Amino acid sequence: MIDKLVQLDTELFLFLNNLGTPAWDALWLAITAKLTFVPLYAILLYLLYKKFGLRSLLIFVVVIALMITFTDQVTNLFKRTFERPRPCRADGVIDQMRFIAVRCGKYGFFSGHSSNSMAAAVFAGLMLRTYYKNLIFILLFWSAIVAYSRIYVGVHYPLDIICGLAFGAISGFMYYKLSLYLLKRFGKTEN
């Protein structure tokens, strides 16, 4: 059963990865770069400040730092525990795929980019949903694009992405709930 799932995952990866063309490579490399979306994060922090105030923003910054640290560390734990080679390191896969990433890490289960972007999307989308009803959908779409970029550049299988997105969604929701608790206790909230 697991062998069949891994085989299907590899086949889907090869299909999706080989949809790429050199004309789009620079765009997808930019999307997958860690610092590309710093302006988006700054805008989200500004919106949180605008709607909740400075004291609450300080709570958000601490909670977001904890959330990203948590998702990063759990992702690394899973990578070291499962030791699933990335596609760019897998025999029989590397010669059939397009590898355009800057580097290829050792293990890939599950995707840190996917979990971090989804956690940020769910957290910010839920915190701001009262004020910007469609923002969460925009952020979820953004997270899916970031996740797909990891397949495009050749460093993650679809199952790595799906598990990363699911874990990120759970993490984002947990830290959203933690923020609500902390806001009630220590901050000023308008919810």
Side-chain angles (χ1 to χ4, degrees), residues 164-180:
L165 290 172
F167 177 73
I170 292 166
S171 299
F173 183 75
M174 284 181 356
Y175 282 89
Y176 160 72
K177 287 295 202 178
L178 175 62
S179 283
L180 292 180

mmCIF file with all atom_site columns, all heavy atoms in Angstrom, residues 164-180:
data_model
loop_
_atom_site.group_PDB
_atom_site.id
_atom_site.type_symbol
_atom_site.label_atom_id
_atom_site.label_alt_id
_atom_site.label_comp_id
_atom_site.label_asym_id
_atom_site.label_entity_id
_atom_site.label_seq_id
_atom_site.pdbx_PDB_ins_code
_atom_site.Cartn_x
_atom_site.Cartn_y
_atom_site.Cartn_z
_atom_site.occupancy
_atom_site.B_iso_or_equiv
_atom_site.pdbx_formal_charge
_atom_site.auth_seq_id
_atom_site.auth_comp_id
_atom_site.auth_asym_id
_atom_site.auth_atom_id
_atom_site.pdbx_PDB_model_num
ATOM 1   N N   . GLY A 1 164 ? 2.577   19.204 4.413  1.00 0.00 ? 164 GLY A N   1
ATOM 2   C CA  . GLY A 1 164 ? 3.024   20.505 4.912  1.00 0.00 ? 164 GLY A CA  1
ATOM 3   C C   . GLY A 1 164 ? 1.879   21.495 5.020  1.00 0.00 ? 164 GLY A C   1
ATOM 4   O O   . GLY A 1 164 ? 1.768   22.226 6.011  1.00 0.00 ? 164 GLY A O   1
ATOM 5   N N   . LEU A 1 165 ? 1.015   21.524 4.006  1.00 0.00 ? 165 LEU A N   1
ATOM 6   C CA  . LEU A 1 165 ? -0.137  22.437 4.037  1.00 0.00 ? 165 LEU A CA  1
ATOM 7   C C   . LEU A 1 165 ? -1.085  22.071 5.179  1.00 0.00 ? 165 LEU A C   1
ATOM 8   O O   . LEU A 1 165 ? -1.584  22.952 5.885  1.00 0.00 ? 165 LEU A O   1
ATOM 9   C CB  . LEU A 1 165 ? -0.876  22.412 2.699  1.00 0.00 ? 165 LEU A CB  1
ATOM 10  C CG  . LEU A 1 165 ? -0.152  23.049 1.507  1.00 0.00 ? 165 LEU A CG  1
ATOM 11  C CD1 . LEU A 1 165 ? -0.906  22.771 0.209  1.00 0.00 ? 165 LEU A CD1 1
ATOM 12  C CD2 . LEU A 1 165 ? 0.057   24.543 1.712  1.00 0.00 ? 165 LEU A CD2 1
ATOM 13  N N   . ALA A 1 166 ? -1.333  20.774 5.360  1.00 0.00 ? 166 ALA A N   1
ATOM 14  C CA  . ALA A 1 166 ? -2.241  20.337 6.428  1.00 0.00 ? 166 ALA A CA  1
ATOM 15  C C   . ALA A 1 166 ? -1.662  20.692 7.801  1.00 0.00 ? 166 ALA A C   1
ATOM 16  O O   . ALA A 1 166 ? -2.370  21.233 8.664  1.00 0.00 ? 166 ALA A O   1
ATOM 17  C CB  . ALA A 1 166 ? -2.493  18.833 6.324  1.00 0.00 ? 166 ALA A CB  1
ATOM 18  N N   . PHE A 1 167 ? -0.387  20.407 7.993  1.00 0.00 ? 167 PHE A N   1
ATOM 19  C CA  . PHE A 1 167 ? 0.238   20.729 9.271  1.00 0.00 ? 167 PHE A CA  1
ATOM 20  C C   . PHE A 1 167 ? 0.245   22.243 9.501  1.00 0.00 ? 167 PHE A C   1
ATOM 21  O O   . PHE A 1 167 ? -0.019  22.716 10.610 1.00 0.00 ? 167 PHE A O   1
ATOM 22  C CB  . PHE A 1 167 ? 1.666   20.173 9.337  1.00 0.00 ? 167 PHE A CB  1
ATOM 23  C CG  . PHE A 1 167 ? 2.368   20.537 10.602 1.00 0.00 ? 167 PHE A CG  1
ATOM 24  C CD1 . PHE A 1 167 ? 2.021   19.934 11.792 1.00 0.00 ? 167 PHE A CD1 1
ATOM 25  C CD2 . PHE A 1 167 ? 3.350   21.507 10.608 1.00 0.00 ? 167 PHE A CD2 1
ATOM 26  C CE1 . PHE A 1 167 ? 2.645   20.285 12.979 1.00 0.00 ? 167 PHE A CE1 1
ATOM 27  C CE2 . PHE A 1 167 ? 3.987   21.871 11.784 1.00 0.00 ? 167 PHE A CE2 1
ATOM 28  C CZ  . PHE A 1 167 ? 3.632   21.254 12.974 1.00 0.00 ? 167 PHE A CZ  1
ATOM 29  N N   . GLY A 1 168 ? 0.516   23.004 8.455  1.00 0.00 ? 168 GLY A N   1
ATOM 30  C CA  . GLY A 1 168 ? 0.509   24.462 8.567  1.00 0.00 ? 168 GLY A CA  1
ATOM 31  C C   . GLY A 1 168 ? -0.865  25.003 8.931  1.00 0.00 ? 168 GLY A C   1
ATOM 32  O O   . GLY A 1 168 ? -0.978  25.927 9.744  1.00 0.00 ? 168 GLY A O   1
ATOM 33  N N   . ALA A 1 169 ? -1.910  24.428 8.343  1.00 0.00 ? 169 ALA A N   1
ATOM 34  C CA  . ALA A 1 169 ? -3.273  24.878 8.647  1.00 0.00 ? 169 ALA A CA  1
ATOM 35  C C   . ALA A 1 169 ? -3.613  24.619 10.113 1.00 0.00 ? 169 ALA A C   1
ATOM 36  O O   . ALA A 1 169 ? -4.168  25.489 10.798 1.00 0.00 ? 169 ALA A O   1
ATOM 37  C CB  . ALA A 1 169 ? -4.277  24.178 7.729  1.00 0.00 ? 169 ALA A CB  1
ATOM 38  N N   . ILE A 1 170 ? -3.250  23.444 10.601 1.00 0.00 ? 170 ILE A N   1
ATOM 39  C CA  . ILE A 1 170 ? -3.499  23.111 12.009 1.00 0.00 ? 170 ILE A CA  1
ATOM 40  C C   . ILE A 1 170 ? -2.707  24.051 12.917 1.00 0.00 ? 170 ILE A C   1
ATOM 41  O O   . ILE A 1 170 ? -3.231  24.581 13.900 1.00 0.00 ? 170 ILE A O   1
ATOM 42  C CB  . ILE A 1 170 ? -3.146  21.634 12.282 1.00 0.00 ? 170 ILE A CB  1
ATOM 43  C CG1 . ILE A 1 170 ? -4.134  20.720 11.550 1.00 0.00 ? 170 ILE A CG1 1
ATOM 44  C CG2 . ILE A 1 170 ? -3.138  21.335 13.774 1.00 0.00 ? 170 ILE A CG2 1
ATOM 45  C CD1 . ILE A 1 170 ? -3.700  19.266 11.466 1.00 0.00 ? 170 ILE A CD1 1
ATOM 46  N N   . SER A 1 171 ? -1.451  24.277 12.581 1.00 0.00 ? 171 SER A N   1
ATOM 47  C CA  . SER A 1 171 ? -0.598  25.164 13.385 1.00 0.00 ? 171 SER A CA  1
ATOM 48  C C   . SER A 1 171 ? -1.131  26.592 13.384 1.00 0.00 ? 171 SER A C   1
ATOM 49  O O   . SER A 1 171 ? -1.200  27.241 14.434 1.00 0.00 ? 171 SER A O   1
ATOM 50  C CB  . SER A 1 171 ? 0.838   25.158 12.848 1.00 0.00 ? 171 SER A CB  1
ATOM 51  O OG  . SER A 1 171 ? 1.382   23.874 12.924 1.00 0.00 ? 171 SER A OG  1
ATOM 52  N N   . GLY A 1 172 ? -1.495  27.089 12.209 1.00 0.00 ? 172 GLY A N   1
ATOM 53  C CA  . GLY A 1 172 ? -2.040  28.440 12.114 1.00 0.00 ? 172 GLY A CA  1
ATOM 54  C C   . GLY A 1 172 ? -3.292  28.613 12.955 1.00 0.00 ? 172 GLY A C   1
ATOM 55  O O   . GLY A 1 172 ? -3.470  29.631 13.633 1.00 0.00 ? 172 GLY A O   1
ATOM 56  N N   . PHE A 1 173 ? -4.159  27.592 12.948 1.00 0.00 ? 173 PHE A N   1
ATOM 57  C CA  . PHE A 1 173 ? -5.376  27.647 13.742 1.00 0.00 ? 173 PHE A CA  1
ATOM 58  C C   . PHE A 1 173 ? -5.060  27.619 15.242 1.00 0.00 ? 173 PHE A C   1
ATOM 59  O O   . PHE A 1 173 ? -5.645  28.372 16.031 1.00 0.00 ? 173 PHE A O   1
ATOM 60  C CB  . PHE A 1 173 ? -6.324  26.496 13.375 1.00 0.00 ? 173 PHE A CB  1
ATOM 61  C CG  . PHE A 1 173 ? -7.626  26.541 14.106 1.00 0.00 ? 173 PHE A CG  1
ATOM 62  C CD1 . PHE A 1 173 ? -8.603  27.460 13.754 1.00 0.00 ? 173 PHE A CD1 1
ATOM 63  C CD2 . PHE A 1 173 ? -7.868  25.685 15.171 1.00 0.00 ? 173 PHE A CD2 1
ATOM 64  C CE1 . PHE A 1 173 ? -9.812  27.525 14.445 1.00 0.00 ? 173 PHE A CE1 1
ATOM 65  C CE2 . PHE A 1 173 ? -9.067  25.734 15.866 1.00 0.00 ? 173 PHE A CE2 1
ATOM 66  C CZ  . PHE A 1 173 ? -10.039 26.652 15.506 1.00 0.00 ? 173 PHE A CZ  1
ATOM 67  N N   . MET A 1 174 ? -4.121  26.753 15.647 1.00 0.00 ? 174 MET A N   1
ATOM 68  C CA  . MET A 1 174 ? -3.738  26.672 17.065 1.00 0.00 ? 174 MET A CA  1
ATOM 69  C C   . MET A 1 174 ? -3.180  28.003 17.570 1.00 0.00 ? 174 MET A C   1
ATOM 70  O O   . MET A 1 174 ? -3.543  28.470 18.656 1.00 0.00 ? 174 MET A O   1
ATOM 71  C CB  . MET A 1 174 ? -2.672  25.588 17.281 1.00 0.00 ? 174 MET A CB  1
ATOM 72  C CG  . MET A 1 174 ? -3.177  24.182 17.257 1.00 0.00 ? 174 MET A CG  1
ATOM 73  S SD  . MET A 1 174 ? -1.894  22.907 17.550 1.00 0.00 ? 174 MET A SD  1
ATOM 74  C CE  . MET A 1 174 ? -0.363  23.759 17.677 1.00 0.00 ? 174 MET A CE  1
ATOM 75  N N   . TYR A 1 175 ? -2.330  28.622 16.764 1.00 0.00 ? 175 TYR A N   1
ATOM 76  C CA  . TYR A 1 175 ? -1.723  29.878 17.196 1.00 0.00 ? 175 TYR A CA  1
ATOM 77  C C   . TYR A 1 175 ? -2.710  31.047 17.091 1.00 0.00 ? 175 TYR A C   1
ATOM 78  O O   . TYR A 1 175 ? -2.583  32.027 17.833 1.00 0.00 ? 175 TYR A O   1
ATOM 79  C CB  . TYR A 1 175 ? -0.412  30.126 16.451 1.00 0.00 ? 175 TYR A CB  1
ATOM 80  C CG  . TYR A 1 175 ? 0.693   29.281 17.053 1.00 0.00 ? 175 TYR A CG  1
ATOM 81  C CD1 . TYR A 1 175 ? 0.938   27.997 16.598 1.00 0.00 ? 175 TYR A CD1 1
ATOM 82  C CD2 . TYR A 1 175 ? 1.444   29.765 18.117 1.00 0.00 ? 175 TYR A CD2 1
ATOM 83  C CE1 . TYR A 1 175 ? 1.916   27.205 17.182 1.00 0.00 ? 175 TYR A CE1 1
ATOM 84  C CE2 . TYR A 1 175 ? 2.421   28.983 18.704 1.00 0.00 ? 175 TYR A CE2 1
ATOM 85  C CZ  . TYR A 1 175 ? 2.653   27.705 18.237 1.00 0.00 ? 175 TYR A CZ  1
ATOM 86  O OH  . TYR A 1 175 ? 3.616   26.924 18.830 1.00 0.00 ? 175 TYR A OH  1
ATOM 87  N N   . TYR A 1 176 ? -3.671  30.945 16.220 1.00 0.00 ? 176 TYR A N   1
ATOM 88  C CA  . TYR A 1 176 ? -4.778  31.916 16.188 1.00 0.00 ? 176 TYR A CA  1
ATOM 89  C C   . TYR A 1 176 ? -5.541  31.853 17.515 1.00 0.00 ? 176 TYR A C   1
ATOM 90  O O   . TYR A 1 176 ? -5.819  32.887 18.137 1.00 0.00 ? 176 TYR A O   1
ATOM 91  C CB  . TYR A 1 176 ? -5.690  31.602 15.000 1.00 0.00 ? 176 TYR A CB  1
ATOM 92  C CG  . TYR A 1 176 ? -7.081  32.166 15.098 1.00 0.00 ? 176 TYR A CG  1
ATOM 93  C CD1 . TYR A 1 176 ? -7.326  33.528 14.962 1.00 0.00 ? 176 TYR A CD1 1
ATOM 94  C CD2 . TYR A 1 176 ? -8.163  31.321 15.328 1.00 0.00 ? 176 TYR A CD2 1
ATOM 95  C CE1 . TYR A 1 176 ? -8.616  34.038 15.060 1.00 0.00 ? 176 TYR A CE1 1
ATOM 96  C CE2 . TYR A 1 176 ? -9.452  31.817 15.426 1.00 0.00 ? 176 TYR A CE2 1
ATOM 97  C CZ  . TYR A 1 176 ? -9.678  33.179 15.291 1.00 0.00 ? 176 TYR A CZ  1
ATOM 98  O OH  . TYR A 1 176 ? -10.947 33.682 15.389 1.00 0.00 ? 176 TYR A OH  1
ATOM 99  N N   . LYS A 1 177 ? -5.856  30.635 17.957 1.00 0.00 ? 177 LYS A N   1
ATOM 100 C CA  . LYS A 1 177 ? -6.567  30.461 19.226 1.00 0.00 ? 177 LYS A CA  1
ATOM 101 C C   . LYS A 1 177 ? -5.715  30.968 20.395 1.00 0.00 ? 177 LYS A C   1
ATOM 102 O O   . LYS A 1 177 ? -6.235  31.601 21.322 1.00 0.00 ? 177 LYS A O   1
ATOM 103 C CB  . LYS A 1 177 ? -6.948  28.987 19.448 1.00 0.00 ? 177 LYS A CB  1
ATOM 104 C CG  . LYS A 1 177 ? -8.068  28.512 18.559 1.00 0.00 ? 177 LYS A CG  1
ATOM 105 C CD  . LYS A 1 177 ? -9.330  29.249 18.897 1.00 0.00 ? 177 LYS A CD  1
ATOM 106 C CE  . LYS A 1 177 ? -10.551 28.498 18.455 1.00 0.00 ? 177 LYS A CE  1
ATOM 107 N NZ  . LYS A 1 177 ? -11.780 29.207 18.822 1.00 0.00 ? 177 LYS A NZ  1
ATOM 108 N N   . LEU A 1 178 ? -4.418  30.693 20.367 1.00 0.00 ? 178 LEU A N   1
ATOM 109 C CA  . LEU A 1 178 ? -3.525  31.199 21.404 1.00 0.00 ? 178 LEU A CA  1
ATOM 110 C C   . LEU A 1 178 ? -3.542  32.723 21.421 1.00 0.00 ? 178 LEU A C   1
ATOM 111 O O   . LEU A 1 178 ? -3.594  33.347 22.498 1.00 0.00 ? 178 LEU A O   1
ATOM 112 C CB  . LEU A 1 178 ? -2.104  30.683 21.191 1.00 0.00 ? 178 LEU A CB  1
ATOM 113 C CG  . LEU A 1 178 ? -1.039  31.228 22.149 1.00 0.00 ? 178 LEU A CG  1
ATOM 114 C CD1 . LEU A 1 178 ? -1.346  30.844 23.596 1.00 0.00 ? 178 LEU A CD1 1
ATOM 115 C CD2 . LEU A 1 178 ? 0.341   30.742 21.728 1.00 0.00 ? 178 LEU A CD2 1
ATOM 116 N N   . SER A 1 179 ? -3.534  33.343 20.256 1.00 0.00 ? 179 SER A N   1
ATOM 117 C CA  . SER A 1 179 ? -3.588  34.808 20.178 1.00 0.00 ? 179 SER A CA  1
ATOM 118 C C   . SER A 1 179 ? -4.866  35.354 20.771 1.00 0.00 ? 179 SER A C   1
ATOM 119 O O   . SER A 1 179 ? -4.840  36.365 21.483 1.00 0.00 ? 179 SER A O   1
ATOM 120 C CB  . SER A 1 179 ? -3.460  35.279 18.722 1.00 0.00 ? 179 SER A CB  1
ATOM 121 O OG  . SER A 1 179 ? -2.136  35.208 18.317 1.00 0.00 ? 179 SER A OG  1
ATOM 122 N N   . LEU A 1 180 ? -5.989  34.718 20.470 1.00 0.00 ? 180 LEU A N   1
ATOM 123 C CA  . LEU A 1 180 ? -7.256  35.182 21.039 1.00 0.00 ? 180 LEU A CA  1
ATOM 124 C C   . LEU A 1 180 ? -7.210  35.134 22.561 1.00 0.00 ? 180 LEU A C   1
ATOM 125 O O   . LEU A 1 180 ? -7.657  36.069 23.242 1.00 0.00 ? 180 LEU A O   1
ATOM 126 C CB  . LEU A 1 180 ? -8.425  34.342 20.521 1.00 0.00 ? 180 LEU A CB  1
ATOM 127 C CG  . LEU A 1 180 ? -8.772  34.475 19.048 1.00 0.00 ? 180 LEU A CG  1
ATOM 128 C CD1 . LEU A 1 180 ? -9.960  33.578 18.703 1.00 0.00 ? 180 LEU A CD1 1
ATOM 129 C CD2 . LEU A 1 180 ? -9.051  35.919 18.665 1.00 0.00 ? 180 LEU A CD2 1
#
